[in-house]
Amino acid sequence: MFHVSFRYIFGIPPLILVLLPVASSDCDIEGKEGREYQHVLMISINDLLDTMIKNRTNCPNNEPKVLKKHACDDNKEGIFLYRAAHKLKQFVKVNDSEDFNLHLLRVSQGTLQLLNCTPKVRIKLPSQGEVQPTKNLEDNKSVKEQRKQKSLCSLGILLQKIKTCWNKILRGSKEH
Amino acid sequence: MMILGTAFGMVFYLLQAVSGESGYAQNGEFEDAELDDYSFSCYSQLEVDGTQHLLTCAFDDPDVNITNLEFEICGALLNIKCLAFDKLHEMYFIKTKKFLLIGDSLIHVKLGGKNITSKKLNIVKIVKPEAPFDIRVIYREGANDFLVTFNTSHSQKKYVKELMHEVAYRQEKNENDWMHVNISSTKLTLLQRKLQPDAMYEIKVRSIPNANYFQGFWSEWSPTFHFRTPEITESSGRMDPVLLTISILSFFFVALMVILACALWKKRIKPIVWPSLPDHKKTLEQLCKKPKKNLNVSFNPESFLDCQIHKVDGIQARDEAESFLQDTSPPQLDETEKQRLRGGMQGPTWPSEHAVITPKTFRGDSPFGSLAGSISMCEALVQPSSRSPDCKEGGKNGPHMYQGLLLGSGTTNSTMPTPFPFQPGILTLNPAVRGQPGLTSLGSSQEEAYVTMSSFYQNQ
């Protein structure tokens, strides 16, 4: 009897402590009630999408590989939003409009403001040339325009994903 | 000595008091006084100029020497750490698009680059909306109320859209007697009965954020609008007399119709609306009633000996129209007209036999309708004045002849109706009864011997 209780006292609690980080999320999300999202972030996201609908012509149906890597999975919404918010910064200056860029920054910084992630989640930002159009002056205007369109298409998909993930978070908080 | 000591004590006391007023104090007290002097308050106005926001700060103490004082905001900014304020008279403001609108910011007061005081605030919690405008009051006579409408620039904005409005109104002569109403829309209805008649009122409105996410302060009051309430006249309080008269008349008319309907239902209305089927039993009973006096109901011919009845065997064609004509001393007929007489004297409704009857026989009251067979006059009956009869079928002169005949026969006590259309034809009389004076009337006093279908309807 004594060795059985010994096992339960000294065996199981450390096991729980070890497994706890696996089950918990790496990023805590503030504003789960949705006020910041509904009154600030959603307005900027909708403005960006409206602007892109007016400007972009044809977008491919397939999702860019860069965006396929990350998804808004259960218990990983915070991580997805963190990475997506960082990725948004790469799209700044794709469009020459100041308001467009400010909305982009608002979504990016506002999302990061509401997230409280552990240090291990903080990733390095990808290289600048990964998504932005190249600044090679020798490229034709048409090629630049194509790359700009491609970037806008990717940005549109990313914004839709962010919107969907926020809706999922708010739905989950309402159910609880 | 005592007086001297008291004097010295008073002097020291006065010195201490004077030195305190001049600001000579300990460090802590001095710092507190300075901090109090530099207390400030701020308010924000979002989308005040397109997409640009405005943040305005001012010291609470208007006597503060603002020379060389600067304001700076840090945190909750887009792509930048801090922003410096601009100065305008005694106020500091900043107009920018770069507010994040999420999270807290720090506002520093700096003197010569050195922080004097700081304050933490959230831009979205110190929002001051723009004042409403275009306030109007419309009197609705039909509804006996006043419709208050106004406009606000926030209806077109993206962020601060939901506001709470406060409408304040008062009678002009009653100062400081404001009535307040809080609404979330831009329309308000004031009932006439809650206002004084024939009085001048003034009204104004202001707004505040709805406290859902954006919070803050009341806006400035809108420009005041003045309106006058109408007088209460006698007619306005009463019903329209024409309408009243019509309604009373209508009521009496409806009541009358109801009474009449109830009174005449059984006798008049129900037989028309829901006629009853004839009751055979009742009909038979009526038929079997005792006959009236002098009513001879019998099938025995002997009981009718007093009556002069001529049996009619049939109607047959007769070639002896001339003999008839001789009896009545008519003019001689031509051959052609004889042939015509022989020919088609038959009407479509008559049998082949026909006879000519003298006008004399028609003297008296003989209703045509009482006979079993009907008699029609051949056009061959000629007036004494006429020369030749015209027996053409349905001749054009037919009606004329007939009429002439009637005239020529002398006085007829009664008009002779023509129950049938005028057809040329000759009726044959039974020779056995030829000697008889002819058709005579049955007499108006006799009742019909036969029951007709009309008795069924009469019994109803």
Side-chain angles (χ1 to χ4, degrees):
Chain A
M1 284 294 289
F2 181 70
H3 65 279
V4 172
S5 59
F6 199 81
R7 192 183 304 166
Y8 282 111
I9 291 167
F10 294 106
I12 295 174
L15 192 66
I16 292 170
L17 283 171
V18 168
L19 291 174
L20 203 61
V22 177
S24 65
S25 176
D26 292 324
C27 290
D28 291 331
I29 303 171
E30 295 174 10
K32 281 188 179 180
E33 294 165 5
R35 286 180 193 169
E36 289 85 356
Y37 171 72
Q38 285 174 1
H39 291 91
V40 180
L41 299 178
M42 195 172 74
I43 292 168
S44 292
I45 290 171
N46 289 337
D47 269 2
L48 289 166
L49 288 171
D50 290 342
T51 307
M52 285 189 295
I53 286 168
K54 287 176 192 174
N55 291 339
R56 65 180 175 179
T57 52
N58 294 319
C59 282
N61 291 330
N62 53 341
E63 195 177 317
K65 290 179 185 176
V66 179
L67 302 175
K68 279 184 183 176
K69 290 179 186 177
H70 310 292
C72 185
D73 297 330
D74 293 343
N75 292 323
K76 290 186 180 177
E77 295 92 349
I79 297 171
F80 169 79
L81 286 177
Y82 185 83
R83 288 173 180 163
H86 273 289
K87 208 173 282 295
L88 280 176
K89 290 182 185 177
Q90 301 173 12
F91 291 95
V92 174
K93 293 183 184 175
V94 169
N95 196 318
D96 298 330
S97 167
E98 185 191 2
D99 288 342
F100 184 90
N101 293 327
L102 286 173
H103 279 304
L104 209 56
L105 286 169
R106 187 171 285 113
V107 176
S108 173
Q109 278 184 242
T111 305
L112 292 170
Q113 181 92 8
L114 296 172
L115 294 172
N116 187 13
C117 296
T118 57
K120 69 173 185 181
V121 175
R122 292 171 194 167
I123 56 172
K124 289 182 182 178
L125 290 174
S127 57
Q128 292 294 318
E130 189 174 329
V131 181
Q132 281 183 354
T134 57
K135 296 181 183 176
N136 190 350
L137 295 174
E138 295 178 358
D139 288 339
N140 295 333
K141 281 188 180 179
S142 61
V143 174
K144 281 185 182 177
E145 197 61 37
Q146 280 179 9
R147 286 182 179 169
K148 186 179 174 181
Q149 286 295 325
K150 195 177 173 184
S151 299
L152 286 172
C153 291
S154 302
L155 176 61
I157 296 168
L158 181 60
L159 286 169
Q160 287 287 356
K161 282 192 158 191
I162 292 171
K163 201 174 176 181
T164 307
C165 199
W166 268 110
N167 289 335
K168 184 185 171 186
I169 293 165
L170 296 176
R171 262 200 313 273
S173 65
K174 279 181 187 176
E175 285 169 5
H176 294 305
Chain B
M1 283 299 285
M2 281 181 70
I3 297 168
L4 193 62
T6 310
F8 275 123
M10 285 177 68
V11 167
F12 281 123
Y13 176 76
L14 284 169
L15 277 172
Q16 199 173 15
V18 168
S19 65
E21 283 179 4
S22 67
Y24 181 77
Q26 293 177 6
N27 287 335
E29 289 178 2
F30 181 73
E31 282 174 4
D32 289 340
E34 280 197 350
L35 281 172
D36 289 339
D37 287 341
Y38 293 115
S39 64
F40 62 92
S41 56
C42 302
Y43 65 87
S44 63
Q45 290 176 298
L46 304 182
E47 296 176 279
V48 66
D49 184 11
T51 54
Q52 288 200 320
H53 314 301
L54 181 67
L55 177 63
T56 308
C57 296
F59 290 105
D60 295 336
D61 186 3
D63 297 329
V64 169
N65 185 7
I66 59 171
T67 313
N68 301 325
L69 283 175
E70 291 171 358
F71 273 75
E72 187 183 59
I73 181 170
C74 297
L77 296 172
L78 292 173
N79 216 22
I80 196 167
K81 266 195 168 179
C82 298
L83 279 171
F85 280 68
D86 297 322
K87 191 195 283 187
L88 182 65
H89 302 298
E90 295 176 350
M91 296 177 70
Y92 296 83
F93 69 95
I94 183 169
K95 203 173 187 181
T96 180
K97 298 179 186 179
K98 295 187 178 179
F99 289 140
L100 178 59
L101 303 178
I102 294 175
D104 296 330
S105 303
L106 270 173
I107 297 182
H108 305 287
V109 178
K110 290 186 171 181
L111 178 63
K114 189 182 174 184
N115 249 12
I116 296 176
T117 183
S118 297
K119 197 174 185 179
K120 187 179 178 183
L121 50 78
N122 194 330
I123 300 287
V124 301
K125 305 296 179 189
I126 54 169
V127 176
K128 183 178 177 180
E130 293 176 45
F133 58 95
D134 198 21
I135 185 168
R136 291 278 181 268
V137 180
I138 298 166
Y139 173 61
R140 298 191 294 192
E141 194 172 349
N144 289 330
D145 61 15
F146 295 89
L147 181 65
V148 181
T149 56
F150 56 90
N151 210 344
T152 174
S153 58
H154 287 265
S155 56
Q156 308 296 326
K157 296 186 193 294
K158 294 177 191 173
Y159 296 108
V160 187
K161 282 188 288 191
E162 297 170 1
L163 299 173
M164 179 66 69
H165 308 287
E166 184 188 14
V167 179
Y169 61 95
R170 70 168 180 187
Q171 208 169 344
E172 277 186 346
K173 62 180 183 181
N174 297 339
E175 292 188 0
N176 300 325
D177 190 15
W178 289 96
M179 304 290 291
H180 298 269
V181 180
N182 286 336
I183 53 172
S184 56
S185 65
T186 56
K187 283 183 187 176
L188 174 67
T189 301
L190 297 175
L191 298 174
Q192 184 182 2
R193 56 185 166 86
K194 293 193 176 179
L195 303 175
Q196 294 292 325
D198 194 23
M200 203 67 185
Y201 277 83
E202 58 175 332
I203 190 167
K204 57 185 181 181
V205 63
R206 62 178 180 176
S207 309
I208 193 170
N210 209 5
N212 196 1
Y213 177 69
F214 296 99
Q215 299 171 15
F217 313 107
W218 284 106
S219 69
E220 300 297 328
W221 285 106
S222 68
T224 310
F225 184 83
H226 300 268
F227 65 98
R228 178 176 280 277
T229 53
E231 297 178 16
I232 294 180
T233 56
E234 291 183 357
S235 61
S236 66
R238 295 181 187 174
M239 250 180 99
D240 190 8
V242 174
L243 192 65
L244 188 65
T245 309
I246 290 169
S247 58
I248 291 169
L249 285 173
S250 304
F251 173 74
F252 280 117
F253 179 73
V254 169
L256 185 67
M257 291 302 290
V258 169
I259 292 165
L260 282 173
C262 292
L264 298 175
W265 171 256
K266 212 171 183 180
K267 284 188 181 177
R268 297 282 183 97
I269 299 170
K270 200 192 167 203
I272 296 168
V273 173
W274 194 263
S276 58
L277 294 170
D279 190 352
H280 298 294
K281 188 181 173 186
K282 284 185 183 174
T283 306
L284 285 171
E285 282 175 1
Q286 287 207 353
L287 289 173
C288 297
K289 276 183 190 174
K290 284 187 179 178
K292 294 179 185 176
K293 291 181 182 179
N294 301 327
L295 182 65
N296 196 359
V297 181
S298 174
F299 289 100
N300 187 6
E302 292 177 1
S303 61
F304 290 99
L305 288 175
D306 295 338
C307 303
Q308 293 180 358
I309 299 170
H310 300 277
K311 284 177 71 176
V312 178
D313 287 335
I315 301 172
Q316 41 179 298
R318 199 170 71 92
D319 297 330
E320 296 153 0
E322 295 175 359
S323 62
F324 175 72
L325 291 172
Q326 283 173 4
D327 290 339
T328 55
S329 63
Q332 288 184 355
L333 298 171
D334 294 335
E335 281 296 323
T336 55
E337 276 146 12
K338 281 184 190 176
Q339 285 176 3
R340 266 188 255 157
L341 283 170
R342 287 190 201 112
M345 307 260 290
Q346 301 176 11
T349 58
W350 293 109
S352 56
E353 293 183 347
H354 50 272
V356 177
I357 304 170
T358 61
K360 286 182 186 175
T361 61
F362 276 91
R363 196 171 296 150
D365 303 329
S366 62
F368 283 108
S370 61
L371 298 175
S374 182
I375 302 167
S376 69
M377 290 298 296
C378 175
E379 291 160 345
L381 291 176
V382 180
Q383 290 180 1
S385 59
S386 64
R387 236 173 10 100
S388 60
D390 186 2
C391 283
K392 286 181 184 173
E393 294 178 357
K396 294 176 187 176
N397 299 326
H400 302 289
M401 289 299 291
Y402 185 66
Q403 288 172 4
L405 177 65
L406 286 174
L407 290 170
S409 65
T411 57
T412 52
N413 293 336
S414 63
T415 57
M416 291 202 273
T418 57
F420 300 99
F422 184 67
Q423 297 283 347
I426 301 171
L427 182 65
T428 309
L429 294 175
N430 192 342
V433 297
R434 196 177 281 179
Q436 292 187 4
L439 294 172
T440 57
S441 62
L442 291 174
S444 59
S445 61
Q446 286 187 342
E447 297 287 338
E448 292 180 3
Y450 298 100
V451 176
T452 61
M453 288 301 294
S454 62
S455 64
F456 284 103
Y457 292 101
Q458 287 172 5
N459 289 333
Q460 288 180 1

